[in-house]
Amino acid sequence: MLSIYSAHNPYLSAIIWLAITIGVYLISLVIFRLLGRRPVFHPMIFCIALLAVVLFYVGVGVKAYQAHTNVLTWLLGPATVALAVPLYTQLRSIRQNTLAIMLPILIGGLIAPVLALAGLYFLPLDNHVRLSLLTKSITSPLAIETSQHIGGIPGLAVVIVIFTGIVGAVFASVVYRIFKITSASAQGLALGTVAHAIGTAQGFQMNQKIGAFATLGLCINGVLTAIVLPLLFFLFS
Amino acid sequence: MQWFKYALALLSLVGLWFIGLGLSTFIPLPASLLGLLVLLLGLIWLKRIPNALLIVSQFVLGHMLVLFVPATMGILLYAETLADNLPWLVLSIVISTLLSLGITAWICQRLLQAKSANAPISDDNE
């Protein structure tokens, strides 16, 4: 493979790295399923570990790897457009329970990044790092673009987003026990609002209603954050 | 012919993203968000979801994770530069996520309970 790689054909290396990425993803899914679909063993964790080993072994840097596979990152855009479909199926719930859906999403979408920033107030962090935290609760494709708009670091924003999602998915049931949350709608809405797509996937594992409300939280908070943050920065910069 | 419909649905998602990209030159919002809003308006106008679009979007959203992989590998780029502050960064994200999760769910539950107290149909009987 090294000899093919050194041929410096950009299309060929793109195809090879795409195949490796998809292969690693499928292997990670299989491991996740074999280990009983526990949120602690999120497939993304295995993807990062396996690919890090491959990159190290072949001697290719992360930036070169990202350049070869940037078509995948680009496809996140069209994939995000597809969120309109689950959002459309939930329009009736939004009309029936407007306040009980919109208010928690607004509050959750606001306090999640604000609390994270407050916890880091005393740290000597770079401003770009702080700005990258603001998109922590929205789904990665929106986070990448929003973060670009407001001067965060898209790569770091995505890492924070995925970490947030895994934390939310892993600890949701414990948190709900402590806060005595029994309503499936409330459990789902909070999972989607705070832990975006990864929380939503976890919601569908719990039951269909939790999953459906998680989709609502995911879409509405994603849309609101992606609208509000760039406008704020557009107005104040 | 079914695969042709699926291909068309997939292409329409890409096309809508490009429409979003075009709109983003006038509106300071992410292209994918604008594409999403255009599709949502389209579905509201159609009043139904075309079957091929439903199946394609379920597949795409179900396997969206693979599209995140290249971007996520960036973790290796930042692990070193953030090393000194990493424990605080992690702690802050964990605590803020768990608190927000609990508070958001609690508010939603309270509002739904208040509503079902006034209405004969309870939230969980839908």
Side-chain angles (χ1 to χ4, degrees):
Chain A
M1 196 189 77
L2 274 173
S3 58
I4 299 170
Y5 182 72
S6 61
H8 288 298
N9 181 332
Y11 295 106
L12 194 58
S13 18
I15 290 167
I16 291 171
W17 283 109
L18 284 177
I20 292 174
T21 305
I22 293 168
V24 164
Y25 168 72
L26 292 176
I27 293 170
S28 305
L29 272 190
V30 170
I31 298 175
F32 174 64
R33 278 172 199 179
L34 284 178
L35 292 175
R37 295 167 180 269
R38 252 162 253 162
V40 197
F41 304 119
H42 201 273
M44 213 52 164
I45 298 167
F46 297 107
C47 269
I48 298 169
L50 289 172
L51 265 175
V53 171
V54 173
L55 289 180
F56 178 77
Y57 193 72
V58 183
V60 170
V62 171
K63 289 211 163 137
Y65 166 73
Q66 287 180 328
H68 290 314
T69 49
N70 64 5
V71 65
L72 284 183
T73 310
W74 179 81
L75 279 172
L76 274 170
T80 307
V81 173
L83 279 173
V85 174
L87 190 58
Y88 174 76
T89 59
Q90 293 298 321
L91 278 183
R92 201 174 62 95
S93 313
I94 304 176
R95 261 185 239 121
Q96 279 174 345
N97 288 310
T98 314
L99 184 70
I101 285 171
M102 295 306 283
L103 194 64
I105 293 176
L106 279 175
I107 294 173
L110 187 72
I111 61 175
V114 167
L115 284 176
L117 273 183
L120 297 171
Y121 184 73
F122 57 92
L123 280 190
L125 285 174
D126 193 60
N127 246 344
H128 296 295
V129 175
R130 288 183 203 281
L131 290 173
S132 308
L133 273 162
L134 291 178
T135 50
K136 77 188 262 295
S137 281
I138 65 174
T139 190
S140 304
L142 290 180
I144 291 171
E145 283 189 76
T146 308
S147 195
Q148 273 165 350
H149 272 283
I150 65 175
I153 309 162
L156 180 61
V158 170
V159 170
I160 293 171
V161 163
I162 288 168
F163 182 63
T164 300
I166 294 173
V167 169
V170 170
F171 295 108
S173 46
V174 180
V175 170
Y176 292 157
R177 222 171 296 141
I178 295 170
F179 280 79
K180 297 191 177 65
I181 310 297
T182 49
S183 153
S185 318
Q187 292 188 354
L189 198 78
L191 256 177
T193 301
V194 177
H196 55 89
I198 296 173
T200 303
Q202 177 66 18
F204 276 113
Q205 301 261 324
M206 290 155 88
N207 73 44
Q208 282 300 310
K209 184 160 189 180
I210 297 181
F213 272 78
T215 307
L216 265 185
L218 159 75
C219 291
I220 297 176
N221 184 36
V223 169
L224 285 180
T225 307
I227 287 176
V228 171
L229 278 182
L231 286 181
L232 279 180
F233 278 79
F234 183 71
L235 291 173
F236 292 104
S237 63
Chain B
M1 279 315 272
Q2 204 59 30
W3 63 268
F4 181 72
K5 284 188 184 166
Y6 295 152
L8 208 64
L10 203 59
L11 277 178
S12 72
L13 290 178
V14 175
L16 281 160
W17 183 82
F18 274 108
I19 292 175
L21 187 67
L23 288 174
S24 73
T25 54
F26 311 108
I27 310 164
L29 290 177
S32 41
L33 177 61
L34 292 167
L36 186 158
L37 293 175
V38 171
L39 179 55
L40 187 62
L41 288 176
L43 291 173
I44 291 171
W45 177 74
L46 262 182
K47 291 196 175 71
R48 64 180 189 90
I49 303 163
N51 194 42
L53 181 67
L54 184 67
I55 286 166
V56 164
S57 66
Q58 275 170 348
F59 175 80
V60 168
L61 294 175
H63 289 283
M64 214 168 170
L65 216 53
V66 70
L67 305 180
F68 296 152
V69 174
T72 313
M73 290 310 286
I75 196 165
L76 301 177
L77 293 174
Y78 302 109
E80 217 171 304
T81 46
L82 296 174
D84 296 338
N85 301 315
L86 208 57
W88 284 113
L89 213 54
V90 168
L91 195 69
S92 162
I93 292 172
V94 170
I95 293 175
S96 64
T97 301
L98 300 185
L99 270 181
S100 322
L101 204 56
I103 294 170
T104 308
W106 185 79
I107 295 169
C108 182
Q109 181 161 278
R110 287 300 296 266
L111 289 171
L112 287 172
Q113 279 167 350
K115 192 170 189 250
S116 61
N118 296 330
I121 304 157
S122 94
D123 156 56
D124 286 310
N125 287 346
E126 273 174 30

